Amino acid sequence: MNPDDVRLDDDPDAATLEAIDRGLDEANARAAPTLADVRTLAVAARTAGGAPVGGAVGRTWGHCAELQQLWVDPAWRGHSLGTRLLRRFEAHAAGRGCTLVYLTTFSFQADFERRLDAGSAG
């Protein structure tokens, strides 16, 4: 292969994107069959009237769980609701056989993680 065979494309066409997705899906299915068993996992906190004030949303497959979103309404922050949502998410994931939970955050969101590590996240 020479360098001309690798090109940057800021606006790839649908066929290229589909070929990459299909190729990755096929490789993943061969290497990790449990990836096909992806299931949504969501935990929500609501007021007595049913209004959502927080939630944790992610997915599980095999022995892995990914927390994709964690949100707490500003009025409910500082009351350990974030920690309770995270712990409930982890417990449900464990009930599905997950032994690994992971998440990715932006640096401005990391304060919650630091407080959670210190035992005082809300």
Side-chain angles (χ1 to χ4, degrees):
M1 175 182 292
N2 68 49
D4 290 338
D5 293 329
V6 178
R7 295 184 184 100
L8 174 65
D9 192 345
D10 288 331
D11 189 23
D13 59 57
T16 299
L17 294 174
E18 184 178 328
I20 294 168
D21 282 344
R22 186 176 52 254
L24 182 58
D25 286 346
E26 290 169 2
N28 287 344
R30 283 189 304 276
T34 59
L35 287 176
D37 298 329
V38 174
R39 295 171 54 197
T40 299
L41 177 59
V43 178
R46 299 178 181 278
T47 64
V53 294
V57 178
R59 58 189 177 174
T60 64
W61 66 92
H63 296 287
C64 298
E66 178 186 12
L67 178 59
Q68 296 171 301
Q69 298 175 311
L70 177 65
W71 167 76
V72 175
D73 184 282
W76 288 84
R77 294 178 187 167
H79 297 82
S80 299
L81 182 55
T83 299
R84 289 174 28 218
L85 288 163
L86 178 60
R87 296 297 182 228
R88 182 69 58 91
F89 181 91
E90 291 174 326
H92 282 290
R96 292 184 181 182
C98 296
T99 57
L100 171 70
V101 176
Y102 68 95
L103 68 124
T104 303
T105 61
F106 292 107
S107 58
F108 65 86
Q109 298 168 324
D111 184 54
F112 174 81
E113 290 178 56
R114 283 189 291 275
R115 288 183 289 126
L116 184 62
D117 288 340
S120 64

